[in-house]
Amino acid sequence: MSGDFAGFFAAAWPRLYPMAAAVAGERGAAEDALQAAFAKAYSRWDKVCAAEHPEAYVRRIVLNEIAGARRYGFARRERPSEQLPLDGRSHDSPEADVVRRDEVLAALRALPPRQRAVLVLRYYEDLSEAEIARSLGCSRGTVKSQASAALASLRRLRPDLVPSGPDASQEER
């Protein structure tokens, strides 16, 4: 049992961590959620490995852990900011993609957790609306409305980060 779990853990953690960090809004909270989720998965390993998609099963546990931490006040205490902190370095660096990613993640942190989760699962994890609905335990209609509201908020907050117009979102799958 533990050998199968160890291999699953080694393969799934690196795939789930970026999603968890984006949804949680910070690395420490993502690590806490992943640790709790994998502990739960280990305690129910027979059920998890029998699932059609064990990684999707654990992804749902991770999302529930993040939502639960926020609900019960264990989430990070920092507040979203419209500006990235300046550290005295020049921002004309050749790492423009890294800076852009950080700007996108900062903008995502300004969204409510459910909207953030929908966008991360849709555009970062490339899940379909049906897969997102299953992961979050809601309807496809809720996924659509949360995505629409989230993109509208991002366009208001950071129009430079979110394209607008008919080609702005992916085609429905």
Side-chain angles (χ1 to χ4, degrees):
M1 176 175 134
S2 64
D4 295 333
F5 179 81
F8 172 75
F9 174 85
W13 180 284
R15 288 193 296 266
L16 292 173
Y17 176 78
M19 177 275 305
V23 173
E26 65 122 21
R27 293 176 186 154
E31 290 170 358
D32 291 346
L34 281 164
Q35 288 173 5
F38 277 104
K40 288 179 180 180
Y42 182 77
S43 71
R44 300 178 231 165
W45 182 238
D46 290 340
K47 184 176 180 180
V48 173
C49 69
E52 188 175 340
H53 300 290
E55 192 168 322
Y57 188 100
V58 174
R59 180 186 302 115
R60 175 133 188 207
I61 297 172
V62 171
L63 293 168
N64 288 339
E65 287 295 320
I66 292 168
R70 291 186 187 288
R71 189 174 309 124
Y72 297 109
F74 301 120
R76 61 177 169 67
R77 303 284 186 230
E78 66 187 66
R79 299 284 176 233
S81 172
E82 300 242 351
Q83 300 259 30
L84 291 174
L86 298 178
D87 58 8
R89 291 182 290 182
S90 168
H91 291 283
D92 295 326
S93 70
E95 294 87 8
D97 290 342
V98 173
V99 171
R100 179 77 165 182
R101 186 200 71 216
D102 288 345
E103 290 174 344
V104 169
L105 289 173
L108 283 172
R109 282 192 291 272
L111 297 175
R114 173 74 58 119
Q115 289 180 8
R116 184 182 320 139
V118 167
L119 290 187
V120 168
L121 293 173
R122 181 73 172 115
Y123 297 104
Y124 187 80
E125 291 289 310
D126 200 31
L127 298 183
S128 69
E129 289 169 349
E131 291 168 321
I132 296 167
R134 276 192 303 276
S135 291
L136 295 176
C138 64
S139 70
R140 285 184 67 199
T142 298
V143 170
K144 288 180 181 184
S145 66
Q146 292 289 304
S148 178
L151 290 172
S153 292
L154 287 178
R155 283 187 188 106
R156 268 192 320 279
L157 294 171
R158 293 294 308 266
D160 58 311
L161 294 179
V162 184
S164 59
D167 297 327
S169 62
Q170 293 180 349
E171 294 293 319
E172 183 170 333
R173 294 184 262 159

